[in-house]
Amino acid sequence: MLKKIIFSFIVIVCIIFVSTFYVKRMVKEQKIDTIIDQLSITLENKLQTHKMDDLRTAISLSKNRALIDALENDDEDLGYEILSDILNTIELNTNIHIRAQVITKDLNIFTRSWDDIYAGMPIGDYRTDLDYFKTHSTPRSSIEIGRRLGIKATVPIYKNGELLGYVEVISFFKSITEFFSTLGVDLYVLLDFKHMDSAVLMTQNLSVCDSVIANRNYNYSHIQTLKDIDLKILKHKGMVYKDNKYIFYENMYDSRSEVIGGFIFVLPERYLEYFRNPNDDISFLINVTRSSLYDVVKKDKYGSTIYDEYGADSFLYFQDVIDKEDREIFLDEAYSKFDKYSKDELIQIMLNRKIITKVDGRIR
């Protein structure tokens, strides 16, 4: 009798254990499926927002009479002065950095906001997407391949019905990558190898999953995991689990609705607990359960590095000895250090002179 009771007890315990395990597994799978859906929706929303923001800026620039006159008169120096002055004013008052360029109707660079070196350089070979304007006169904003992959908002400039050129605002997924990072999700923007003939400025970028990484501020700690993944399997399943990480894939489309690459999301399993239960809130992905998640992610990604103890001037000597696989991290560190200096201070660094800190008195 005692044996029967013990046996029955063991059977009941086993049933409870198996049932509990099954239910937990189903709840976890449901949560992961919901996260995938929300990541996809959030990515689309962020991309659309950036496209529209860039397009509004490009349209505003295209209506600037002084800039139009400079383009019509082929005055490249004046064009650079006007364009850079407008965008510097925007950055000074909003802390938003905008990259814009003006292209002639013959598809040569007229001026760019970030330098005045390449005026007159032809870009038609890299920008086949501009063929769209041979049959259309309406502005558009889309992910396009140029010398780099990015979001390009392009507005044609007409005067008295004649095409003079184009104004274009360009962004490179930096803020989108940062946004997902604050959620504990690392984003990798990938361009298929077959498009590298056009993306000549990405030839030194790191490659994973038979693709080249387009965004520069990605988390390097997941690279080895991504290199060991079969992209075909990832595309087919939409999600794989490897090295205690959930890896999701989303196709990337250009303006012609052609797949030119993809977006890969990496979510370490330890971060799952920071997301709400999908039944709690329809926006559970955005509203994380613990405010400390950002600090955890920041510590993981931006913790102390080997470059912390060096000043900006030291980076001038490091650039020639950095291995290719470490170059992305080096560039991020260099940008963050040099951003703290004014133009005059940077010139002094280049001339190997003592830096005299300049305070301009502006309050931001």
Side-chain angles (χ1 to χ4, degrees):
M1 186 65 180
L2 182 59
K3 290 182 179 180
K4 289 183 179 180
I5 294 175
I6 294 175
F7 177 76
S8 299
F9 178 76
I10 293 175
V11 171
I12 293 173
V13 171
C14 289
I15 292 174
I16 294 174
F17 177 79
V18 172
S19 299
T20 302
F21 175 79
Y22 176 77
V23 170
K24 287 185 177 180
R25 180 178 177 182
M26 291 299 294
V27 170
K28 189 173 184 179
E29 289 181 355
Q30 180 187 6
K31 186 171 187 176
I32 292 171
D33 288 341
T34 308
I35 288 176
I36 293 175
D37 292 339
Q38 290 293 318
L39 284 175
S40 178
I41 293 171
T42 304
L43 174 64
E44 182 59 32
N45 178 266
K46 285 293 178 182
L47 288 173
Q48 191 63 23
T49 299
H50 276 271
K51 290 176 184 178
M52 292 302 100
D53 288 346
D54 290 350
L55 186 58
R56 278 193 291 269
T57 303
I59 290 175
S60 298
L61 291 173
S62 73
K63 300 299 181 181
N64 185 284
R65 180 57 57 185
L67 190 60
I68 294 174
D69 290 343
L71 176 60
E72 185 179 27
N73 296 323
D74 198 27
D75 192 336
E76 297 168 346
D77 292 335
L78 179 59
Y80 172 73
E81 181 180 342
I82 295 170
L83 183 62
S84 59
D85 181 64
I86 293 172
L87 298 187
N88 286 336
T89 301
I90 292 176
E91 183 171 7
L92 178 64
N93 290 280
T94 66
N95 203 31
I96 298 175
H97 180 69
I98 298 173
R99 295 169 64 95
Q101 65 182 8
V102 179
I103 304 169
T104 70
K105 64 180 180 181
D106 298 322
L107 303 187
N108 299 323
I109 292 177
F110 174 68
T111 189
R112 303 192 302 188
S113 63
W114 59 96
D115 65 52
D116 57 353
I117 300 174
Y118 295 100
M121 185 181 75
I123 61 171
D125 292 342
Y126 310 112
R127 297 296 307 279
T128 56
D129 59 289
L130 292 174
D131 291 342
Y132 165 86
F133 293 102
K134 292 180 179 179
T135 55
H136 299 77
S137 59
T138 55
R140 73 171 183 180
S141 187
S142 55
I143 298 175
E144 299 294 347
I145 305 168
R147 294 192 299 164
R148 284 179 63 187
L149 177 71
I151 298 174
K152 297 177 173 65
T154 310
V155 180
I157 301 175
Y158 289 92
K159 185 174 182 179
N160 299 324
E162 179 184 355
L163 177 66
L164 298 180
Y166 311 89
V167 170
E168 193 164 66
V169 172
I170 309 169
S171 54
F172 297 110
F173 309 104
K174 182 177 185 291
S175 61
I176 295 178
T177 304
E178 291 173 347
F179 171 80
F180 281 106
S181 179
T182 62
L183 299 178
V185 180
D186 291 297
L187 176 66
Y188 300 82
V189 183
L190 305 183
L191 177 66
D192 290 344
F193 275 142
K194 63 183 179 181
H195 299 295
M196 289 306 295
D197 287 344
S198 296
V200 293
L201 293 184
M202 292 172 53
T203 55
Q204 298 300 314
N205 288 25
L206 215 59
S207 60
V208 295
C209 299
D210 300 321
S211 307
V212 175
I213 302 177
N215 54 331
R216 291 181 174 176
N217 55 327
Y218 58 82
N219 187 350
Y220 192 84
S221 64
H222 303 309
I223 293 300
Q224 191 55 54
T225 299
L226 295 179
K227 286 185 175 182
D228 294 336
I229 288 177
D230 189 321
L231 183 60
K232 291 182 179 178
I233 295 177
L234 178 58
K235 285 184 176 181
H236 176 70
K237 292 185 175 181
M239 189 274 290
V240 297
Y241 179 78
K242 186 175 181 63
D243 298 338
N244 298 317
K245 304 166 187 175
Y246 294 98
I247 301 165
F248 318 122
Y249 183 87
E250 187 81 16
N251 280 327
M252 178 198 297
Y253 299 91
D254 65 6
S255 58
R256 295 179 290 273
S257 298
E258 295 180 1
V259 177
I260 58 175
F263 300 94
I264 286 183
F265 302 93
V266 179
L267 173 62
E269 186 174 19
R270 66 183 182 276
Y271 289 163
L272 275 181
E273 63 179 290
Y274 289 100
F275 296 102
R276 294 181 186 273
N277 185 293
N279 295 322
D280 291 344
D281 193 315
I282 193 171
S283 301
F284 84 100
L285 177 63
I286 308 304
N287 300 303
V288 294
T289 56
R290 302 184 186 179
S291 60
S292 60
L293 174 59
Y294 175 77
D295 295 328
V296 173
V297 176
K298 185 175 181 181
K299 181 178 180 182
D300 281 354
K301 184 174 180 180
Y302 300 108
S304 60
T305 71
I306 59 174
Y307 303 114
D308 284 351
E309 60 186 284
Y310 297 102
D313 52 342
S314 299
F315 279 66
L316 298 177
Y317 303 99
F318 288 159
Q319 61 180 331
D320 297 324
V321 297
I322 295 298
D323 291 335
K324 179 181 177 181
E325 58 268 23
D326 296 327
R327 194 160 188 81
E328 293 294 337
I329 296 177
F330 168 77
L331 289 175
D332 285 342
E333 291 288 336
Y335 292 150
S336 66
K337 289 183 181 291
F338 286 123
D339 278 346
K340 298 176 183 178
Y341 296 95
S342 68
K343 181 179 178 180
D344 291 339
E345 291 170 341
L346 290 174
I347 292 174
Q348 291 178 50
I349 291 176
M350 295 298 294
L351 294 175
N352 198 25
R353 292 169 56 186
K354 182 179 179 182
I355 296 176
I356 303 173
T357 303
K358 178 182 178 181
V359 179
D360 58 19
R362 287 194 298 268
I363 299 177
R364 297 187 181 181

